[in-house]
Structures are given as C-alpha cells and as structure tokens.
Amino acid sequence: DEMEEMGVEPGIIDAEVIVKKEGGVTTTTAQKDFFNITSSTDAAAAAAENDDKKKKAGAGLQTDIMKAVKEVEAINTQITLLELDFIQDIVEILGPNRADTIRTTIVGNMIAGEAGTLLKTLKERPLATVLSSFSGSGSVESNAGKNLYVTRFPGDVTASQLNELREEVTGILQVAKPGDEALLVLQSGGGTVTGYGLAAAQLQRFKAKNIKLTVCVEQVAASGGYMMCCTADRIVASPFAVLGSIGVISEVPNAYERLQREGIEFATITAGKYKRTVTPTKKVTKEDIKKSTEDINEIFNLFKSFVASQRPQLDIENVATG
C-alpha cells in the first residue's frame, strides 16, 4: 500500500517469498542473494561437496606419490643389478683367486651405501686405482702365491682423499696373504699437519702387518706428501720429481690496523693464557709471535723425528731445511 501511494509498482526484488527459520526470523530470497545468506541445508550440501573434492584430490596425490616411489624402486633395482653384473664380469676377467679382494672393496661399498654407490665411486677413480691385483707374467696360475695391490693418493691441501685411503688400506689388509705387497701412486705438495699426519699413519698399517709398501712419485711428494712417502720400504720417483721439503709453515693475515681505522673493535673472550695468539683480528704482540714460533718448532721437531725413524740413513739435520 505504501509503494502504491508513492507511485511505485512492486518489482521482482520485492517478491514476498519468505523463508521461515527458527526463532521467527524471516528473510526474502532477494535478501539472501544480496547478503550471500545460505540456509543450513545449502551449507551442508556445499560442505559435503568440498569434502568430496578434497578426498578425490588427496586420493589422486597419494596415487601419484605411490607411483613415483615404485618407479624409483624399479630404477634402484636396475642399477643394483647392473652393478652386480659388473662385479661378476670383473671376477671372471681377473680370476677367482682375486674374488675376495673385489668383494671386500667393491661389494663393501655397495652394502654401506645405496644404489649407485659403486658407479659414483668408480666415476673418477678407475677400478685399477680403487684396488687392483695383478702378476707380472699375466697368469694367475704362474704367480698365484703373490699379489700386488695398487692404489692412488692425489693429495690436496687438506688431504681430503684420506677417507678413501683408509678404506683401501683396510680392504688390502683384510685379504692380503704373506708375501703380498702394496703400491701407492702418490702426488702431493703437502698440506695440513693433522691431515697428512693421519694419512702417513694409515700407510704405517702396512708395516705393522709386514706388508711391503712401494711408493711411486710421479711429480711431487713434498712436506706432508713426503711424510707419507717416507713410510715406504721403497720409493720410486720419476727423473724430475720433487721430494722432501721437510719443514713447517704458518701464516695468518692480520687486519687489526685496518679495523681500527674503520672504527671496528673485535672482541674475543678466552680462558687460558695462550688460547689465542696470532689471529686475523687482534693486535699481534711479541709474546704471541714467540709462542707461535715455539709451537711451529715443536711440530718441526716431531716431523724430523718421524722422518728419521722411517729413513735412518738420512742426515736429518742436513736435509730438514724446509
């Protein structure tokens, strides 16, 4: 009646379609659409539809994951079979007398690792350098009582090849028989005291088991490299190879004065008089230099003593000049 008095005709937006709810509250269809109001029945249906979509999506994702896992497992199985075929071929080529050596060095790597470990191991280390045994005559039967185990050590500053060397020495010691020998092809200009000290100790394990060790130097066996080299029963070097350099060096850049100019103070809290001596950030004192020199000389004396114990024929004071 009020709309007629105002001269306005009722339109569709004012259709009196009423939805009754609990508590006596009513809303028109137009109000529901305008305010995006849904009934409890509509909301439940929409929620159920969303749940179904999520379940289907989840089921599809789970199926994809299981499919990918199965594919990876199939690939790993193929790789393992290829590795086993490879080992079988090597055993057939080298002969049954060397099967134990191959099993210890190669199969052991596969057991400790995962599918593809063997291939990764041999990628940059050919089988002959991982561990090979051969006889001079080329016949297993003619020289079956003696084997020569060959390995390599292309050393860097940190002696990072130490883990491979340890494993190879262990493999040789496990299968070597009386009369067998080992040969190490060495190439190193030295590096850290701790790294090369431990590498030399690994080679001493041969002497402890009465296995003769020959070290072949292609170009350089200096400082820490020579520490390894001198553990050998015999050293064979190319004509212009460099051997020796028995000495110790320590150098640390110092930026204390530059930090002072930039207004930067570096605080170090220590316990112990000599916990920090020469460092890049503190002012170096005469006492620091004295202590560092004493430490270096102590390491140098240990180095000389080690070489003298392995090469008693050397005049160590005459040759240990750095």
Side-chain angles (χ1 to χ4, degrees):
D1 294 339
E2 291 178 356
M3 294 179 66
E4 289 180 355
E5 291 177 0
M6 295 171 63
V8 178
E9 295 182 0
I12 190 171
I13 191 171
D14 301 305
E16 296 182 358
V17 179
I18 305 299
V19 178
K20 293 187 178 180
K21 291 188 176 182
E22 295 179 1
V25 180
T26 59
T27 55
T28 65
T29 301
Q31 289 172 331
K32 287 171 58 180
D33 293 340
F34 182 79
F35 292 105
N36 195 24
I37 299 174
T38 57
S39 65
S40 59
T41 304
D42 294 339
E49 184 179 355
N50 289 335
D51 290 341
D52 290 339
K53 290 181 179 179
K54 290 180 180 179
K55 289 180 180 179
K56 291 180 180 179
L61 179 60
Q62 184 68 20
T63 301
D64 292 341
I65 292 174
M66 294 300 296
K67 183 179 179 181
V69 170
K70 290 181 179 179
E71 290 178 353
V72 171
E73 290 177 350
I75 293 173
N76 286 339
T77 300
Q78 293 177 0
I79 293 174
T80 302
L81 291 175
L82 288 173
E83 291 179 333
L84 293 174
D85 290 340
F86 173 77
I87 294 173
Q88 183 178 358
D89 292 340
I90 294 298
V91 171
E92 292 176 356
I93 293 172
L94 298 181
N97 290 335
R98 292 165 173 79
D100 287 340
T101 299
I102 298 169
R103 176 182 57 79
T104 300
T105 57
I106 297 181
V107 179
N109 286 339
M110 291 175 62
I111 293 173
E114 56 186 8
T117 299
L118 173 60
L119 301 180
K120 294 176 183 177
T121 301
L122 299 181
K123 184 177 181 181
E124 296 180 356
R125 297 176 66 83
L127 182 63
T129 67
V130 174
L131 181 61
S132 61
S133 55
F134 58 86
S135 58
S137 61
S139 172
V140 174
E141 291 77 8
S142 63
N143 197 19
K146 185 177 181 179
N147 296 314
L148 177 65
Y149 299 94
V150 182
T151 185
R152 282 181 172 270
F153 189 87
D156 56 19
V157 174
T158 60
S160 61
Q161 299 79 7
L162 179 59
N163 288 333
E164 288 83 357
L165 177 65
R166 180 193 291 111
E167 293 176 359
E168 291 164 4
V169 171
T170 299
I172 294 172
L173 295 179
Q174 287 179 346
V175 300
K177 298 175 293 185
D180 290 349
E181 298 183 10
L183 186 146
L184 173 69
V185 180
L186 178 64
Q187 168 71 18
S188 174
T192 60
V193 174
T194 53
Y196 278 91
L198 184 54
Q202 293 300 318
L203 298 182
Q204 285 185 299
R205 296 168 61 193
F206 288 122
K207 186 172 292 186
K209 294 292 184 179
N210 296 318
I211 297 177
K212 185 177 180 181
L213 172 64
T214 299
V215 172
C216 293
V217 181
E218 295 180 334
Q219 298 183 49
V220 179
S223 195
Y226 182 71
M227 179 182 288
M228 294 179 63
C229 190
C230 70
T231 63
D233 297 282
R234 184 186 180 202
I235 300 173
V236 179
S238 62
F240 293 96
V242 177
L243 285 78
S245 186
I246 304 171
V248 183
I249 183 174
S250 175
E251 53 185 4
V252 179
N254 187 272
Y256 173 77
E257 293 184 359
R258 179 58 185 269
L259 292 174
Q260 288 291 103
R261 289 198 299 269
E262 299 295 336
I264 300 173
E265 182 178 353
F266 196 92
T268 303
I269 311 301
T270 62
K273 184 178 180 180
Y274 296 117
K275 185 61 179 177
R276 284 289 182 270
T277 51
V278 178
T279 70
T281 56
K282 70 183 290 289
K283 184 178 181 180
V284 180
T285 65
K286 292 182 179 179
E287 187 178 14
D288 293 335
I289 295 176
K290 179 182 177 182
K291 176 58 179 174
S292 296
T293 303
E294 291 175 356
D295 292 341
I296 292 175
N297 284 331
E298 184 176 356
I299 296 171
F300 182 44
N301 290 331
L302 290 172
F303 193 178
K304 291 193 296 182
S305 298
F306 181 82
V307 173
S309 66
Q310 303 298 314
R311 287 286 182 271
Q313 69 272 27
L314 288 178
D315 183 353
I316 192 64
E317 297 300 331
N318 187 40
V319 299
T321 58

